[in-house]
Amino acid sequence: MVGAKPLDQIFIPLNSSKRMRARDLGIAPGILSTGRLNAITDVTGVRVGHVTLLEGDSIRTGATAVLPHPGNLFRRRVPAGIAVGNGFGKLMGSTQVMELGEIETPIVLTNTLAVPQAADAIIAWTLSQPGNEDVVSVNPLVGETNDSYLNDIRARALTSALIGQAIEQAHDGMVEEGAVGAGTGTMAFGWKGGIGTSSRILPHELGGVTVGVLVQSNFGGVLQMDGLPVGKSLGQYYLKDAIDRGDADGSIMIVVATDAPLSDRNLTRLASRALAGLARTGASMSNGSGDYVIAFSTAESVRRYTDQHSPLAKESEWINDKVSPLFQAVTREKNMTFNYRDILNQRLPPPQDGWVDVRSKLKHFALINYALPKSRLESYIPASHFEIPEFTIGGKQMALMSAVPFWDVDFHFINLPFLKFSFGQTNFRVYVIDKRSGEHAVWFFGTTLGSFVVYFAKGAWGIPWYYARYQSLFEQDPLTRRYHSYKYTIDSKWCDAQVEIEDTGVPVSLTEGFSSVDEMKLILTHPVDGYFYNSTHKVGKYAVWHKEISFTTGRAKNIYFSLYERLGLLSKDEMQNPHSVFICPETEFKVLLPPGEYADNYKMNPL
């Protein structure tokens, strides 16, 4: 092979005091340049520590710690991936790493029966770090191989305190190799195994990043070195004479570090490629072998900060704490996938007409959404049955509420189609989750209407509707229906308002705080249930039905709602900067009446 000496030309001087590496023997696999040390510590920030235990004639064991960076690993976690060749092993902590894609502790390698002690050492070290005083859950990551061939493993000589020294003594620079640390008692291909390390650097044109590897070798097969059949040539290999002596059993732990800014998904892919490298050594990955790879990235740009508001936290990739809303989307929000999705696709027919249901065309329909701290809303929402969801907006966790102005045209009770009304209406509402059903809904502060209908609904059902005088100026392009002017004012003792918005004519796209347009529409425009305090201070409920609404994007020019200022929810300046403004020239709603009662005896209506 090019670059490798023939096997009969490899000469190892027996009197040499220098520990030989493969490159000293002319074996230089691959085409890429090594790092300065040809070690995992060539990846900036990585630390390695060993503790070796030699006692009498029977104890030959130890532990090796790998720290991805010198800072607080729990607070500044690194993305990670795991690959498994043959899973006959005890890789503690692996399920959480595979689930969350991150490492929050040092990685410790040791012998099979010392895994609990290593975990205890990691936990003790993590809890002792400054800044971790409130930590109550730690995921220690411990890999192992079985060194019982050379070590009295049943003596369980390693203690957590001793293993903790490997973590405390971890350092950058040269990495001691061979029969040291977790490699003290290991075997490989029938010869002495141990700890090994190496690194490679990509050319500048390919990114110039570094990848380093550290292994705890304790496995078997048919040894090959840079393609040379060393095991076969020396007469020591698995299945020699067609006999399975179990000499391919054992394990290998491979730790891969890189400064490339990889996601946990790509680190998992990188880890799987390390198994291809393992196969090139002649490893059999037999039934009794535990072959594991842990890969992580030290790049600052993909590091996960437990304090997502830290000025150091990056937004190139979501931290795990931000994905809970997505979990909600596929579990508790099952209706988002089925019921709501059907509404969006207009596959669900409208519900059958009730005797007092209302139908109405809604013209000049606008949705003006505001982001605000959840704490401002909590005193107005019955917390025992409703949750106020939060969305990441402007780097902060914020609640959402809205004002929804429109013009009712041909508003009528279904059983009184000859009696129709037209008037202005504005709903004031908060986006909530009904804890009982798990579905998105809205909480109504109340509604202003420019019609005497308000007195019927308020008198009959206690709905918080309030009379108002509306003045409006709507001007539209007759072809595109884009608004040249969208203005209205409300004169009401309950809520005065002035609204002037600009119609961009651009269809609504994804807004901040949502993972998809569908999710945004489902939460902001398609909650079917609304709740409110009725006149007897109980929680009432009514529902609506409508087809999917097509919006264009609007901009605020001048907006003021006295209600939101009076309740301390928004300042005048904040009202000029809504989270989003949606405009629809015309749609149609069906309101399912009469309203029901959700539950009795909530606290008194704070309004």
Side-chain angles (χ1 to χ4, degrees), residues 335-543:
N335 286 326
M336 182 179 290
T337 305
F338 300 110
N339 298 351
Y340 288 176
R341 190 63 186 164
D342 285 339
I343 291 175
L344 282 176
N345 290 330
Q346 302 181 32
R347 290 196 293 265
L348 282 183
Q352 292 184 348
D353 292 340
W355 70 277
V356 289
D357 289 351
V358 167
R359 286 189 183 275
S360 181
K361 292 180 181 178
L362 276 54
K363 291 191 174 183
H364 317 306
F365 186 91
L367 186 60
I368 304 170
N369 298 301
Y370 288 100
L372 70 164
K374 176 181 176 179
S375 57
R376 297 186 193 176
L377 292 164
E378 288 175 328
S379 62
Y380 299 107
I381 310 296
S384 56
H385 283 72
F386 298 99
E387 174 186 344
I388 304 173
E390 292 181 289
F391 308 85
T392 304
I393 299 171
K396 300 178 180 179
Q397 293 298 105
M398 305 290 273
L400 285 170
M401 71 176 186
S402 63
V404 187
F406 52 87
W407 209 264
D408 278 293
V409 176
D410 293 339
F411 176 100
H412 64 277
F413 294 98
I414 288 173
N415 287 326
L416 297 171
F418 53 86
L419 194 60
K420 297 182 179 181
F421 307 92
S422 295
F423 50 85
Q425 180 177 166
T426 303
N427 296 322
F428 299 89
R429 62 191 199 173
V430 180
Y431 298 100
V432 298
I433 293 173
D434 180 353
K435 290 182 177 179
R436 184 170 60 180
S437 67
E439 295 183 5
H440 282 277
V442 289
W443 176 266
F444 284 100
F445 292 115
T447 299
T448 58
L449 290 91
S451 170
F452 73 89
V453 172
V454 66
Y455 300 110
F456 171 77
K458 193 168 186 177
W461 301 312
I463 298 176
W465 286 4
Y466 303 91
Y467 179 75
R469 287 188 296 271
Y470 277 74
Q471 292 184 336
S472 62
L473 176 61
F474 303 118
E475 296 178 352
Q476 293 175 267
D477 184 296
L479 296 178
T480 64
R481 306 190 74 182
R482 178 180 176 182
Y483 286 88
H484 300 305
S485 175
Y486 187 110
K487 300 179 183 179
Y488 76 89
T489 61
I490 301 174
D491 181 9
S492 168
K493 293 181 179 179
W494 188 72
C495 179
D496 288 332
Q498 295 89 44
V499 174
E500 183 177 2
I501 55 181
E502 176 189 354
D503 183 2
T504 67
V506 178
V508 165
S509 57
L510 185 63
T511 59
E512 190 177 12
F514 299 96
S515 60
S516 69
V517 174
D518 278 348
E519 180 195 22
M520 178 189 72
K521 286 183 177 180
L522 292 170
I523 292 174
L524 297 183
T525 73
H526 284 271
V528 296
D529 292 328
Y531 299 91
F532 55 89
Y533 279 120
N534 63 25
S535 57
T536 62
H537 310 299
K538 296 178 181 178
V539 171
K541 171 186 176 180
Y542 68 88

Side-chain angles (χ1 to χ4, degrees), residues 123-238:
I123 292 170
W125 183 87
T126 301
L127 295 179
S128 70
Q129 299 305 295
N132 291 353
E133 291 79 10
D134 61 345
V135 172
V136 295
S137 174
V138 178
N139 183 53
L141 188 56
V142 184
E144 55 76 34
T145 68
N146 193 308
D147 59 9
S148 59
Y149 185 79
L150 297 178
N151 173 54
D152 181 5
I153 196 170
R154 288 176 58 87
R156 305 188 70 192
L158 286 171
T159 64
S160 61
L162 192 60
I163 295 173
Q165 294 178 24
I167 303 174
E168 294 287 353
Q169 296 170 9
H171 58 84
D172 58 5
M174 293 294 296
V175 176
E176 191 176 358
E177 296 179 278
V180 62
T184 301
T186 61
M187 300 286 292
F189 296 105
W191 288 284
K192 183 66 184 76
I195 295 294
T197 188
S198 189
S199 68
R200 296 292 185 273
I201 300 176
L202 294 187
H204 176 74
E205 296 82 358
L206 299 177
V209 298
T210 301
V211 61
V213 175
L214 181 142
V215 302
Q216 176 194 20
S217 60
N218 192 49
F219 63 102
V222 183
L223 176 61
Q224 295 186 63
M225 300 178 69
D226 203 12
L228 298 174
V230 176
K232 187 176 180 181
S233 297
L234 297 179
Q236 184 164 292
Y237 55 92
Y238 178 52

